[in-house]
Amino acid sequence: MDREQQKRYWHTSAHILAHAVKRQFPEVKLGTGPAIENGFYYDFYREEPFTPADIEKISKAMEEIIKQNLPVEKIFVSKEEAKELLKDEPFKLEILEGIKEDTVTFYRQGDFIDLCEGPHISSTGEVKHFKILSTAASYWRGDENRESMQRIYGISFPTREELDGYLKFLEEAKERDHRTLGPKLDLFSLHPEYGSGLIFWHPKGALIRKIIEDIWKDVHLKNGYEIVYTPHIADLSLWERSGHTGFYKENMFAPMEMDKKVFQLKPMNCPFHILIYNTKLRSYRDLPIRWAELGTVYRYEKQGVLHGLLRVRGFTQDDAHIFCTEEQIEEEVIKVLELVTFFLGKFGFYEYKIFLSTRPEKYVGNPDDWDKATIALGNALKKTGMTYEIDPGEGVFYGPKIDIKIKDCLNREWQCSTIQVDFNIPERFELKYTDKEGAYRTPILIHRAILGSIERFFGVLIEHYKGNFPFWLAPEQIRVLPISERHIPYAEKTSDVLKPHFRLQIDRRNEKINKKIRDAEEEKVPYMLIIGDKEEQSGTSALRKHKEGMIGTFTPDEIMRMLKE
Amino acid sequence: MDREQQKRYWHTSAHILAHAVKRQFPEVKLGTGPAIENGFYYDFYREEPFTPADIEKISKAMEEIIKQNLPVEKIFVSKEEAKELLKDEPFKLEILEGIKEDTVTFYRQGDFIDLCEGPHISSTGEVKHFKILSTAASYWRGDENRESMQRIYGISFPTREELDGYLKFLEEAKERDHRTLGPKLDLFSLHPEYGSGLIFWHPKGALIRKIIEDIWKDVHLKNGYEIVYTPHIADLSLWERSGHTGFYKENMFAPMEMDKKVFQLKPMNCPFHILIYNTKLRSYRDLPIRWAELGTVYRYEKQGVLHGLLRVRGFTQDDAHIFCTEEQIEEEVIKVLELVTFFLGKFGFYEYKIFLSTRPEKYVGNPDDWDKATIALGNALKKTGMTYEIDPGEGVFYGPKIDIKIKDCLNREWQCSTIQVDFNIPERFELKYTDKEGAYRTPILIHRAILGSIERFFGVLIEHYKGNFPFWLAPEQIRVLPISERHIPYAEKTSDVLKPHFRLQIDRRNEKINKKIRDAEEEKVPYMLIIGDKEEQSGTSALRKHKEGMIGTFTPDEIMRMLKE
């Protein structure tokens, strides 16, 4: 099935769900029920929550409706008729009021009829295998001040194999869920009671972040970038000048007024780098200028869309801005793509999907510049041998861009890297450089991020690795487990040899060795060193690998050599 | 002169200034004129600004008043009489209205009389040597909505030597002023048009910051600290719980309301670390827990007190919180003091002034705990051999503290490190740990910072070093200067050898070698390598040291060895 067919299939599945609910609970009022990225849902209004037994009944009724193989018909009715048909469905009536046309469409299957634009598949029998996945609370029209609805999620496929495969994928994804692994491995926490969508990095998660940031800074400095630091707030007028108060306002936090000045939490770093650029007159000799910042930005997202580390309100972009001439775009983009390949490869991502988005209908700048920049982006992709698709008209209004999605081990796609040419900001801030002849020219500005957001990237990493971070990234690389208290001094001696080279802890607790091993396994420490009488006497430790078990008995020096590789 | 005598001396000097102004410009209205830390000022209201010629006249008049050696008399008058005396001084009348007492005091010298509490020295002739230093605009009562005043600053001393010494100090301080050196060396900028008190770190300043932060993190990790990262905002309720909305409100930015939730920019990091602590039950075995964060906080300071990097609205604290038992306080504080000595010494600060502040009148917690903690702080200072003074009753309401002031090369004191015990927050957030018997106990919380604020510390460093950062901290350590364009390839070869070890740039400009040397000297690059025909033929470079000149001619390997030390 292609995406369009799948959408129809799941949309009809949603109607079957609503049909089944109405058969079992005729008093329930219908909300809406679309196909979504994976499956479908339907929102219902009912005083009492659906119990597992209710869901069982609904599921049975769905099976019947499928077995009946009811044809799905499209009906055109006048608005007057529609009002009559929906007289007991207040939510549907509300939707109806919003429709301007005189004739509306319904879809009917047996005794069930629903105000709906479609499209649908032709009969209920085509839906072969389905499963109700979960229920959740939602608000009518997403508005916290409106009625609370009950949303039922489901999935369906034409074959049993597809359904089983998907359910297995769900189970695997659940085991990898960073929202479960994060607290379990003591990596991070959220404290929604003191503000949703804000991440607190615990020592182990922070250590991973530090390792990532250190490499990031190091590699950038070696590749001709310079690092800058800028504030998290600025006068609102900066955002007026940059245009963000116009086209980005709904993502910005409320401004803070102090002594008649108005401060704004930053949703982006760019205007700050621009101000640094404008502190002196630059020459063509200075270009390209590449300024990188691990800049923490704050964007207001609605409560309902927040999701662990993946969708947050405060996050750190691995941001950079390149100021260059038109002729330098291609070479600069090639260099960025090489950095992308290096960094994503370092974290075990080798498969990407790349999109080059071109000029949309509404745009700023002149078409010639757009064309040249778009060609430069395309050439850069070709020269680095990267396969890409063109997303026609999907560029931002200020310039063409390259988006790179990575695939994780469950084949899920994550948008990370982005490279965007900007014709807007250089004009708005009157950026200039002097060319060879001493004339003033406007530089090209390229925004780029490789990991995207450190928070989001960390979420993807946790799920990709299932919390089993590779040795170089593990916050605790080795745990030394003395079998009893009398082995602690020798454990410390061993630790002294290894500590300068590895991140290591000693488990000094007064616990049985099996418990210590179990805990280290649970906490996904890559290597354990077990130390008892035998080891102490021979000056060795027993090396155990996470999930794989005993490797052998080695001296500290041998262990150092083995693990250094 | 002690501090009290000095204050009287300068206060009388301020009256002499006002007296002189009234003699020369009788229409001027008087504001106030106190002694300040260094000298004195007086605020005047006058339509036209004082010109340099006016200041000359005022200075002359001051000399006369001093020569006249007028006795300074204190007079007690009734409020009614005072009103009559001040009928032409609207600002003084305003002050008078605010005085509750029935009798007020004036000070009189010759024909000049001023509403004043004193104290003063006994005659104008005692002021021997003075100088008017500068003029500045100020607002009446510091209120932007009130009249704009002209403030005249001055200094005075009993001997010519003292005055000359002070003027020389001022000149030296001016040359070292980080607000001049910062932009000149391209280290940082401020953009008050887009928000005052916010620092933009340019690449060179940012590189220095990165070096400082890297060492800071590295040393902390090696010394048993763990690093955490926390958000810059939280729900206002967090600050209600911590108590900050009560005792710290005026330093906080305005809250941001979004969808009925209220977010607050953080003025401090502590409540965030507390929330991480409370994500699980801690045991006595886990203590001490030491969490460090380079946490950027935002505190609202009035426009008038902002000062370059030294007084800002956004700054990064090198913050840490230690959770420990009462018995661990002393040892923990000793360890912090060792870190303080290490870090401050690393930056060339060896002289400190240390204050131990004890229980104030208003405090939380019980006196026994205060006593024990205060003794522990004192013992730690004694055991590390640090001389300190006791500041009785100057502790914060929540606990005793140690403050450490460093002395820079001009003998100016800067408050940097602080170590504070907190009995308040652990109670407010119900922090707990289980002791050996399994009973719940409340841990001690120690707040500590070593550098204080990275921004402020950087400002002190710039002035301390006069921009001549030590080799290890210099953003550009070596500049390679090819004499002409044909020497560039060899310059690049030399650079390739040294680049992996040093921060190095090649000056490729088409400029005369003298100009290149002058620029490198101006930009305070510690070492230059000059490369011409002779050097190229012998495979060497001529090594030149900043401010000292030529050292000799060496091969790249020799240079590497020499500079590595």
Side-chain angles (χ1 to χ4, degrees), chain B residues 21-157:
Chain B
V21 167
K22 280 297 226 183
R23 269 196 191 170
Q24 296 292 340
F25 308 96
E27 78 285 5
V28 163
K29 303 300 171 201
L30 299 176
T32 52
I36 53 175
E37 206 191 337
N38 293 301
F40 57 90
Y41 71 75
Y42 213 110
D43 283 345
F44 303 100
Y45 180 79
R46 185 187 183 226
E47 290 286 323
E48 319 77 59
F50 290 115
T51 64
D54 294 342
I55 296 294
E56 191 56 36
K57 272 189 207 164
I58 295 166
S59 197
K60 283 260 157 60
M62 286 178 75
E63 274 170 34
E64 276 167 35
I65 294 160
I66 290 169
K67 211 174 285 167
Q68 291 177 322
N69 195 11
L70 304 166
V72 179
E73 302 166 86
K74 186 175 191 175
I75 311 164
F76 294 85
V77 296
S78 73
K79 235 168 172 176
E80 277 312 300
E81 268 178 284
K83 249 184 212 161
E84 181 54 28
L85 280 169
L86 298 173
K87 65 178 191 298
D88 294 327
E89 297 288 352
F91 300 104
K92 295 286 182 191
L93 277 174
E94 197 181 320
I95 296 173
L96 187 69
E97 273 167 31
I99 299 176
K100 285 190 192 121
E101 288 74 18
D102 293 332
T103 306
V104 296
T105 61
F106 279 74
Y107 275 80
R108 180 163 61 194
Q109 56 198 46
D111 55 350
F112 176 78
I113 186 157
D114 198 356
L115 176 69
C116 175
E117 282 192 300
H120 281 272
I121 52 178
S122 55
S123 75
T124 60
E126 283 180 45
V127 174
K128 300 287 184 202
H129 303 277
F130 75 91
K131 190 165 171 66
I132 293 181
L133 294 172
S134 59
T135 58
S138 66
Y139 290 105
W140 173 242
R141 301 207 144 165
D143 180 346
E144 286 174 44
N145 302 313
R146 296 297 307 270
E147 293 83 351
S148 180
M149 313 290 283
Q150 296 185 60
R151 179 171 293 178
I152 301 180
Y153 286 97
I155 188 79
S156 58
F157 289 101

Side-chain angles (χ1 to χ4, degrees), chain B residues 157-223:
Chain B
F157 289 101
T159 68
R160 164 69 49 193
E161 290 67 43
E162 282 169 290
L163 180 62
D164 287 348
Y166 183 75
L167 295 177
K168 219 182 133 199
F169 159 82
L170 275 191
E171 206 175 306
E172 181 65 28
K174 198 177 159 194
E175 275 179 39
R176 291 172 181 267
D177 194 325
H178 73 282
R179 292 169 304 172
T180 317
L181 285 175
K184 196 177 152 199
L185 301 176
D186 203 8
L187 299 173
F188 69 89
S189 60
L190 285 111
H191 300 264
E193 70 279 25
Y194 294 119
S196 301
L198 303 169
I199 307 301
F200 291 61
W201 297 72
H202 292 207
K204 285 183 185 174
L207 198 52
I208 294 178
R209 174 166 168 178
K210 182 188 172 293
I211 295 167
I212 296 173
E213 291 189 347
D214 283 351
I215 296 175
W216 189 89
K217 284 185 244 178
D218 188 43
V219 170
H220 278 80
L221 286 174
K222 284 199 178 117
N223 281 277

Side-chain angles (χ1 to χ4, degrees), chain A residues 145 186 194 201-203 206 209 213 227 229 232 235 241 254 256 258-260 280 291 298 300 302, chain B residues 145 186 194 201 203 206 209 213 227 229 232 235 241 254 256 258-260 279-280 291 298 300 302:
Chain A
N145 302 312
D186 204 8
Y194 294 119
W201 296 72
H202 292 206
R209 173 167 169 178
E213 291 189 346
I227 287 171
Y229 295 80
H232 300 93
D235 197 283
R241 181 149 185 207
M256 297 167 271
M258 306 292 295
D259 291 341
K260 292 177 197 151
K280 55 180 184 181
W291 285 338
Y298 288 85
Y300 190 71
K302 290 275 171 202
Chain B
N145 302 313
D186 203 8
Y194 294 119
W201 297 72
R209 174 166 168 178
E213 291 189 347
I227 287 171
Y229 296 80
H232 300 93
D235 197 282
R241 181 148 185 208
M256 297 167 272
M258 307 291 296
D259 291 341
K260 291 177 197 152
T279 54
K280 54 182 185 180
W291 285 337
Y298 289 85
Y300 190 73
K302 290 277 171 199

Side-chain angles (χ1 to χ4, degrees), chain A residues 144-145 186 189 191-196 198-207 209-210 213-214 217-218 221 226-235 237-239 241 250 252-261 263 265 271-273 275-276 278-280 282 285 291 296 298 300-303 313 429 505 508-510, chain B residues 144-145 186 189 191-196 198-207 209-210 213-214 217-218 221 226-235 237-239 241 250 252-261 263 265 271-273 275-276 278-280 282 285 291 296 298 300-303 313 429 505 508-510:
Chain A
E144 286 176 45
N145 302 312
D186 204 8
S189 59
H191 299 264
E193 70 279 26
Y194 294 119
S196 301
L198 303 169
I199 308 301
F200 291 61
W201 296 72
H202 292 206
K204 284 183 186 174
L207 198 52
R209 173 167 169 178
K210 182 189 173 294
E213 291 189 346
D214 283 351
K217 284 185 245 179
D218 190 41
L221 286 174
E226 295 176 303
I227 287 171
V228 296
Y229 295 80
T230 64
H232 300 93
I233 58 172
D235 197 283
S237 59
L238 180 63
W239 308 102
R241 181 149 185 207
E250 65 182 26
M252 285 158 70
F253 272 80
M256 297 167 271
E257 195 179 322
M258 306 292 295
D259 291 341
K260 292 177 197 151
K261 301 272 183 188
F263 292 87
L265 204 50
F272 293 82
H273 294 195
L275 291 186
I276 298 179
N278 273 348
T279 55
K280 55 180 184 181
R282 314 281 169 177
R285 290 174 194 276
W291 285 338
T296 306
Y298 288 85
Y300 190 71
E301 303 268 6
K302 290 275 171 202
Q303 180 74 33
R313 284 179 176 158
F429 284 91
Q505 304 246 357
R508 288 188 173 80
R509 294 175 304 165
N510 188 15
Chain B
E144 286 174 44
N145 302 313
D186 203 8
S189 60
H191 300 264
E193 70 279 25
Y194 294 119
S196 301
L198 303 169
I199 307 301
F200 291 61
W201 297 72
H202 292 207
K204 285 183 185 174
L207 198 52
R209 174 166 168 178
K210 182 188 172 293
E213 291 189 347
D214 283 351
K217 284 185 244 178
D218 188 43
L221 286 174
E226 294 176 303
I227 287 171
V228 297
Y229 296 80
T230 64
H232 300 93
I233 58 173
D235 197 282
S237 59
L238 180 63
W239 308 102
R241 181 148 185 208
E250 64 183 28
M252 285 157 71
F253 272 80
M256 297 167 272
E257 195 178 323
M258 307 291 296
D259 291 341
K260 291 177 197 152
K261 301 273 182 185
F263 293 88
L265 203 50
F272 293 82
H273 294 196
L275 291 186
I276 297 179
N278 273 349
T279 54
K280 54 182 185 180
R282 315 279 169 179
R285 289 175 195 276
W291 285 337
T296 306
Y298 289 85
Y300 190 73
E301 301 269 8
K302 290 277 171 199
Q303 181 73 35
R313 284 178 175 158
F429 284 90
Q505 303 246 357
R508 288 187 173 80
R509 292 175 306 163
N510 188 15

Side-chain angles (χ1 to χ4, degrees), chain A residues 74-91:
Chain A
K74 186 175 191 174
I75 311 165
F76 295 83
V77 296
S78 73
K79 234 168 173 176
E80 277 311 301
E81 269 180 281
K83 248 182 211 163
E84 181 55 28
L85 279 169
L86 299 171
K87 65 178 193 294
D88 293 328
E89 296 289 353
F91 300 105

